[in-house]
Amino acid sequence: CALAFSGFMFLWILELCHACSHYTLAWTTQMWYFTPYVEGAKVDRKPCLVFAGYMNALRYHLGSLALGGLCSLLFRIPRYLLGPLATAAGNKKHALGRSLSLMCPCCIKWYWDFLAKLKQTSYMDIAITSSNYWPAAGRALDVITNEVPSVSVLNGAQFVFQIALLGLTCYTGFFATWIMTVNISIFSLPQSAFYIEDPKLVAVIAAVLSGLVGVSFMLVFDTVGDTILYCYASEQRRRRKVDTLRYKDDDGTVGYFSCFGRNTSDEDEERRIRYAPQRLRELIETQDDSGSDS
């Protein structure tokens, strides 16, 4: 029992560290994103944001991150198993989707009501809104799936780009090692003390190690890219003033600081402020236009 408990706590701590890393990257990214552009450049950027992000996570959100890590540890396998089934069941145009929705509706409902929320996007919402874990998880799923449809397409393109970069990293490690072991005399001459008899094996090992190094960078790239897209979706939701019931003034208008009275000039200025990079806005607008045309 003690050994099982120690193993469980070890895995939970690993998940907590993983959650803290995701939160810190998301917090750092959203601090950069929500710095407004002034004459085409982001000004007033804060220094040492990574350290500040870790301090923020440990001081304010350690409980939410621990809960997220626990849920990820306990329900990762069911989420991976039911995810493809729930996605296929959502496609009512095919017979397979209709059959799955009729065969296991409870499992599919459990997935969308609970398991689908256990993703790293929850930490992005916590970083932006400082909410507790469960409200942030539900809102993150809603924003990603409903707010900006082209975001999901960009996520898919980002995944393909990551796989391509990872393959390039492995190939570079393999090719560079192969060239050195074959052409450098200290490795290619049999009388050398450092002679390598099988250069292919060494090159394959180098490719594996290069891939492991590349995965760490791809995870950072994935988290930062997803957070930027999530910040964009959250910005669009805020600009459309979705939370009208929470921020409604007495006269029926919406203001985030209604207790201090309305300020039309501040609202107009907020509409003019742009946080998203110009190229990202153009890419999403192009994707939306192509989607509406099709």
Side-chain angles (χ1 to χ4, degrees):
C1 293
L3 183 60
F5 177 77
S6 299
F8 174 78
M9 292 303 299
F10 175 75
L11 294 176
W12 189 5
I13 291 174
L14 285 181
E15 291 289 348
L16 175 59
C17 294
H18 185 67
C20 287
S21 298
H22 274 298
Y23 173 86
T24 301
L25 288 174
W27 189 86
T28 304
T29 304
Q30 66 90 23
M31 288 291 290
W32 170 85
Y33 181 91
F34 287 111
T35 300
Y37 277 94
V38 177
E39 296 181 355
K42 287 183 178 289
V43 297
D44 195 27
R45 289 179 292 180
K46 307 299 181 183
C48 303
L49 285 179
V50 174
F51 298 102
Y54 275 109
M55 291 297 297
N56 188 278
L58 297 176
R59 182 176 181 182
Y60 298 109
H61 301 291
L62 184 60
S64 296
L65 299 179
L67 177 59
L70 178 63
C71 292
S72 298
L73 174 62
L74 295 178
F75 300 104
R76 174 175 282 111
I77 295 178
R79 182 165 65 88
Y80 286 162
L81 293 177
L82 293 178
L85 296 178
T87 303
N91 190 353
K92 305 297 183 181
K93 297 181 180 180
H94 294 83
L96 178 60
R98 294 192 296 269
S99 300
L100 289 174
S101 62
L102 294 175
M103 291 172 56
C104 45
C106 295
C107 294
I108 294 174
K109 186 176 186 303
W110 182 49
Y111 175 82
W112 290 115
D113 290 345
F114 179 72
L115 296 179
K117 300 176 182 179
L118 306 179
K119 296 182 179 180
Q120 69 179 30
T121 50
S122 306
Y123 307 128
M124 301 176 192
D125 194 89
I126 293 174
I128 295 174
T129 65
S130 292
S131 300
N132 294 328
Y133 180 76
W134 289 119
R139 181 166 50 246
L141 180 63
D142 177 61
V143 169
I144 288 297
T145 55
N146 299 322
E147 189 59 32
V148 182
S150 57
V151 166
S152 59
V153 178
L154 294 178
N155 273 326
Q158 181 177 277
F159 176 75
V160 174
F161 182 67
Q162 293 169 9
I163 295 298
L165 286 181
L166 183 60
L168 179 62
T169 303
C170 295
Y171 175 77
T172 302
F174 177 89
F175 184 74
T177 304
W178 170 264
I179 292 296
M180 288 189 295
T181 54
V182 171
N183 294 283
I184 298 179
S185 59
I186 193 175
F187 300 125
S188 60
L189 295 179
Q191 59 269 26
S192 173
F194 300 98
Y195 171 67
I196 297 177
E197 184 177 356
D198 190 357
K200 292 183 180 179
L201 178 61
V202 177
V204 169
I205 295 175
V208 173
L209 295 177
S210 300
L212 293 177
V213 175
V215 164
S216 61
F217 287 95
M218 290 302 101
L219 290 176
V220 174
F221 176 82
D222 177 62
T223 302
V224 172
D226 287 346
T227 304
I228 291 176
L229 294 177
Y230 188 83
C231 288
Y232 179 84
S234 300
E235 179 189 0
Q236 301 312 305
R237 167 167 288 200
R238 189 181 74 170
R239 289 186 184 280
R240 282 194 289 269
K241 300 179 179 179
V242 172
D243 299 326
T244 54
L245 295 179
R246 182 176 180 183
Y247 299 111
K248 185 174 292 185
D249 289 335
D250 295 334
D251 57 356
T253 59
V254 178
Y256 290 101
F257 302 99
S258 58
C259 59
F260 298 105
R262 291 186 61 214
N263 193 328
T264 307
S265 61
D266 290 344
E267 292 182 2
D268 294 337
E269 183 179 0
E270 174 66 19
R271 295 189 187 97
R272 290 194 300 268
I273 293 177
R274 289 293 178 265
Y275 301 104
Q278 180 66 28
R279 292 184 179 180
L280 176 62
R281 295 201 304 270
E282 294 174 353
L283 179 61
I284 292 179
E285 290 173 359
T286 302
Q287 185 64 41
D288 290 339
D289 294 338
S290 61
S292 60
D293 294 339
S294 60

